[in-house]
Amino acid sequence: MKLGRLQKTPVQKLNEKLNNNTFYIKRDDLLPISFGGNKARKAVLFFEELDKLGCNCVVTYGSSSSNHCRIVANIAASMGLPCFIISPNETSKKTFNSQMMRIFRAEIINCSVSEVKYTIKNKLKELKDTGYKPYFIQGGGHGDIGTKAYVQAYEEIKDYENKTKIHFDYIFHTSGTGTTQAGLICGQLIHRDNRKIIGISNARKNPNGGQVVFDSVNSYLTSIDKEHVTADVINFIDTYVLDGYGAYNDKILQTIKEMLINEGIPMDTTYTGKGFWGMKEYIRENQIIGCNILFIHTGGTPLFFDDLEVLVND
C-alpha cells in the first residue's frame, strides 16, 4: 500500500434543492486507502510519524464499527506491523469493519469502557517490556495530526473555490471525535474566510462535545504559533444525536435511500447519513436560503452494508 500525499478528492454538485440552496459534496470517501474517509486522511499522517520515530507496532482503540480501527489495522497489515486494538465490550457487535480487522490480523482486546484507559496503559507497557517500540494513536485519530489532516482538506476546498469561482457559504460534516471539525476551523482561521463550518454531532452532547473541538482548535493553533481563539468560532450542533452513537430514525433511513437512488452515493446510519439528515434539519430550522452548501462525505462505506438489510426492509 502506497501512502504519501493524497490526491485531492472530488467535489460533486448534488440534485438536492432544499430552500433553493445549491448543494455540493466533497467525496473523501473516495480516498484510495481501505474504503477511504476522514480516518484514511488522518491515518496517512500518523503512519508518516510512526515511520519517522522508528516504531514497530501500533496501538489504538475504538468500537467494532470503527472506521478508524479498520483503516489503521489495514495499513499496519500492509506494512507488516503488529496492530493492537482496545475495544469496549459495550460496542462490540459483529460488523463488516470488525470482520475486516480480523482479516488484517489485528489483535482485538475487549474490555469495559471504564477500563479502556487502564487497558491501553497496560498494553503499551507490556509491549515496551517485550522489546517493542509501540506507536499509539488516540481513538478516531484524535490529536494535532488528525487536525492537520483537515487543515489540508480545507486547502483543497480553497483550491476548488479558486478554480471554479464558487464560494461555499456553509461547510457541513458529521462531527465525532472532533479533529475533522477542528482542522476545518483552523483552515478557515488561517485564511480568515467568511463562512460557517457546522459540525453535526453523531453522538456527543454539549458542553463536552463542543469543548473537545474547541480544545483541539487551540491545541493545533499553539503548535503552529498562532493565537488562541474564543469558543464562539465553534458550531458543534448536538440537536440530532437522538439516543446517541449508532441511534437512527426513519428519516435517516429515508435520507440514505434518497442519496443512493438519486446520487449513487452510499451513506450510513452512524455517521454520514445521520450527519446529512441533521444538516437538512438544521437548514430548515434556521431558514438558510439561497446559499452554496458543501457537505463533506467522511467515509464509512462498510457501515452502509451493515445497514443494508434494514434499508431493504424499511
Side-chain angles (χ1 to χ4, degrees):
M1 186 184 298
K2 288 187 178 180
L3 300 180
R5 187 67 187 258
L6 297 167
Q7 297 288 318
K8 295 171 186 172
T9 55
V11 174
Q12 296 175 222
K13 188 176 181 180
L14 298 176
N15 294 309
E16 180 71 56
K17 289 294 183 186
L18 175 63
N19 282 5
N20 202 32
N21 293 301
T22 304
F23 289 83
Y24 300 81
I25 189 166
K26 182 168 175 59
R27 298 292 305 277
D28 270 15
D29 57 315
L30 299 181
L31 285 168
I33 296 172
S34 193
F35 298 94
N38 60 338
K39 308 306 184 187
R41 192 184 278 278
K42 296 174 185 181
V44 168
L45 300 185
F46 281 112
F47 276 88
E48 279 182 7
E49 185 178 71
L50 177 151
D51 190 50
K52 287 179 185 174
L53 296 174
C55 296
N56 55 11
C57 67
V58 60
V59 178
T60 191
Y61 67 93
S63 74
S64 61
S65 298
S66 171
N67 296 311
H68 162 74
C69 290
R70 180 199 73 244
I71 290 166
V72 168
N74 197 165
I75 296 174
S78 76
M79 297 171 71
L81 298 175
C83 177
F84 305 91
I85 296 172
I86 317 301
S87 190
N89 292 324
E90 290 83 348
T91 51
S92 61
K93 68 178 181 180
K94 187 177 180 180
T95 66
F96 285 110
N97 275 341
S98 68
Q99 292 182 78
M100 279 190 276
M101 291 176 217
R102 296 191 183 282
I103 289 174
F104 304 140
R105 299 189 182 282
E107 181 178 319
I108 312 296
I109 303 164
N110 290 109
C111 64
S112 69
V113 69
S114 62
E115 295 176 336
V116 165
K117 188 175 180 180
Y118 172 79
T119 306
I120 291 169
K121 182 180 177 182
N122 274 1
K123 190 64 191 177
L124 290 170
K125 182 178 185 305
E126 175 194 316
L127 289 166
K128 290 174 184 173
D129 288 346
T130 53
Y132 281 101
K133 187 177 181 181
Y135 183 79
F136 176 63
I137 306 175
Q138 293 189 53
H142 196 69
D144 287 345
I145 290 177
T147 301
K148 180 181 178 181
Y150 271 82
V151 173
Q152 293 177 348
Y154 190 90
E155 297 291 342
E156 292 181 18
I157 294 167
K158 287 286 293 181
D159 184 63
Y160 177 87
E161 289 180 316
N162 290 335
K163 287 179 178 173
T164 61
K165 308 304 179 189
I166 295 170
H167 172 75
F168 297 118
D169 303 294
Y170 289 83
I171 299 175
F172 284 87
H173 64 97
T174 308
S175 196
T177 51
T179 48
T180 297
Q181 185 168 3
L184 294 170
I185 291 170
C186 287
Q188 180 190 25
L189 291 169
I190 290 167
H191 288 279
R192 301 180 180 182
D193 287 331
N194 180 26
R195 72 172 103 239
K196 287 191 175 181
I197 294 171
I198 311 289
I200 303 294
S201 175
N202 71 324
R204 289 179 174 172
K205 298 285 285 186
N206 282 319
N208 180 57
Q211 184 67 42
V212 171
V213 178
F214 178 57
D215 291 343
S216 297
V217 167
N218 280 329
S219 175
Y220 184 78
L221 293 176
T222 298
S223 74
I224 59 170
D225 295 323
K226 296 284 186 182
E227 290 186 5
H228 282 197
V229 292
T230 54
D232 57 352
V233 302
I234 311 298
N235 288 295
F236 181 86
I237 307 302
D238 66 356
T239 311
Y240 314 108
V241 299
L242 305 174
D243 290 331
Y245 184 81
Y248 59 89
N249 59 21
D250 288 344
K251 290 182 178 178
I252 293 174
L253 294 176
Q254 188 60 36
T255 297
I256 294 171
K257 282 185 179 178
E258 288 173 359
M259 285 298 289
L260 186 65
I261 293 169
N262 298 331
E263 312 285 356
I265 298 174
M267 290 185 163
D268 68 272
T269 57
T270 302
Y271 298 102
T272 50
K274 195 172 188 176
F276 199 86
W277 164 74
M279 174 190 73
K280 292 173 68 175
E281 294 295 307
Y282 182 91
I283 287 170
R284 288 190 183 96
E285 292 167 13
N286 290 276
Q287 299 183 18
I288 296 171
I289 300 170
C291 293
N292 287 325
I293 292 172
L294 178 69
F295 181 84
I296 299 181
H297 193 312
T298 46
T301 298
L303 298 177
F304 166 80
F305 291 100
D306 286 331
D307 297 330
L308 190 54
E309 188 170 344
V310 176
L311 290 166
V312 169
N313 295 323
D314 178 58

